[in-house]
Amino acid sequence: MSIPPQMSLVGFIASAPDLHFTKEGAECCRLRVGVEQWRKEVDGSFTKLDPTFHNLVMYGESAKRAYARFRVGDQFVASGYITESEKTWNGQTVTREQFVAKHIGHDT
């Protein structure tokens, strides 16, 4: 028996959750999240860098619960996967990533 690994994301809520519905009628919660970044120095100390910001999305019951419970600044831990999509703006194609959270909770 083995433990199945899954991708995870740890960070903070950077924008208020936005709840809407997909074309199929399922709940969808979208929000921006920040991830703290650190650099290890030669002397063993760590230097805090600017956070990176990413899109996170949830569907169904998880979306409803996240919308009701999360606020800007909350720390979270999520498991799920990354999806990519291409968008074209002003003649330039840009690849966008989003983290699809299957499970999410407050990080204590």
Side-chain angles (χ1 to χ4, degrees):
M1 184 159 123
S2 64
I3 297 173
Q6 192 162 33
M7 188 177 292
S8 65
L9 182 64
V10 177
F12 61 91
I13 306 298
S15 72
D18 174 39
L19 186 66
H20 62 277
F21 294 88
T22 65
K23 291 180 224 173
E24 296 80 24
E27 293 90 350
C28 177
C29 182
R30 293 185 184 279
L31 48 126
R32 291 284 284 168
V33 298
V35 177
E36 299 290 348
Q37 302 292 314
W38 297 84
R39 179 181 60 227
K40 186 172 183 178
E41 303 297 347
V42 177
D43 66 1
S45 66
F46 289 88
T47 300
K48 186 174 183 178
L49 305 173
D50 291 336
T52 58
F53 293 91
H54 310 277
N55 295 316
L56 185 141
V57 65
M58 291 159 282
Y59 298 98
E61 290 298 316
S62 294
K64 289 194 299 190
R65 286 191 298 271
Y67 178 74
R69 296 178 184 167
F70 283 98
R71 301 290 176 258
V72 172
D74 286 355
Q75 300 289 318
F76 73 90
V77 177
S79 65
Y81 57 94
I82 294 173
T83 61
E84 291 183 349
S85 62
E86 289 187 350
K87 303 283 183 191
T88 303
W89 287 304
N90 300 327
Q92 294 205 1
T93 302
V94 177
T95 301
R96 296 178 61 178
E97 287 184 334
Q98 70 179 7
F99 188 84
V100 180
K102 293 167 62 176
H103 304 281
I104 190 168
H106 283 91
D107 184 4
T108 58

